């Protein structure tokens, strides 16, 4: 985690907050709707059938992020466990790609699914 840019951690926190708040449109807009639409995000959360909650701050110290080798700019493939009121850390995960190109930070939400 020490090599993961703090801006990426901040962005993951924001995306998780949008998911918890059920603001799937904001999450889609931030990821430019490249891979996962607001409707698909909503469906994944609803089908899981539990209430998303914000994880403790410590959870963001353990983001599963892998740097993509031989890539232009800095690219990370990220998996983050979502938390629910019923379970705490759940089996539902957010998968996304973060790209830092010069000073620009882009995000693509790829999947929300059970592992």
């Amino acid at each position: 985690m020490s090599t993961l840019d703090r801006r990426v951690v901040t962005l993951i926190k924001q995306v998780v907050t949008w998911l918890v708040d059920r603001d799937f449109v904001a999450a889609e807009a931030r990821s430019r709707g490249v891979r996962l639409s607001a409707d698909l995000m909503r469906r994944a959360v609803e089908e899981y059938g539990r209430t998303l909650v914000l994880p403790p701050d410590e959870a963001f110290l353990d983001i599963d992020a892998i740097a993509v080798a031989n890539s232009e700019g800095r690219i990370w493939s990220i998996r983050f466990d979502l938390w629910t009121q019923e379970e705490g850390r759940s089996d539902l995960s957010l998968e996304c790609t973060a790209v830092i190109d010069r000073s620009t930070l882009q995000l693509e939400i790829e999947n929300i699914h059970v592992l």
Side-chain angles (χ1 to χ4, degrees):
M1 168 60 193
S2 62
T3 61
L4 188 59
D5 190 295
R6 295 303 306 165
R7 294 174 293 173
V8 175
V9 175
T10 300
L11 182 54
I12 297 300
K13 284 182 181 180
Q14 179 60 66
V15 169
V16 170
T17 299
W18 284 325
L19 296 176
V20 167
D21 291 344
R22 301 183 58 78
D23 192 350
F24 305 109
V25 172
E28 177 186 21
R30 182 59 179 90
S31 66
R32 303 171 329 277
V34 172
R35 300 198 184 239
L36 206 61
S37 69
D39 287 336
L40 289 173
M41 289 182 228
R42 179 180 296 105
R43 186 177 315 153
V45 170
E46 288 175 356
E47 286 178 1
Y48 192 65
R50 292 171 184 87
T51 307
L52 292 182
V53 296
L54 287 174
D57 286 337
E58 302 82 49
F60 293 98
L61 299 174
D62 191 29
I63 295 175
D64 182 7
I66 299 170
V68 176
N70 302 320
S71 61
E72 300 266 336
R74 295 184 294 174
I75 302 174
W76 288 276
S77 175
I78 298 169
R79 188 188 60 75
F80 185 78
D81 292 334
L82 298 173
W83 289 58
T84 68
Q85 180 178 336
E86 297 82 2
E87 306 168 293
R89 184 183 303 259
S90 74
D91 293 331
L92 193 64
S93 294
L94 167 68
E95 291 183 352
C96 53
T97 299
V99 179
I100 297 178
D101 186 22
R102 296 184 180 92
S103 63
T104 304
L105 174 58
Q106 299 296 328
L107 181 79
E108 295 177 5
I109 298 173
E110 297 168 353
N111 211 343
I112 298 172
H113 67 106
V114 175
L115 285 180

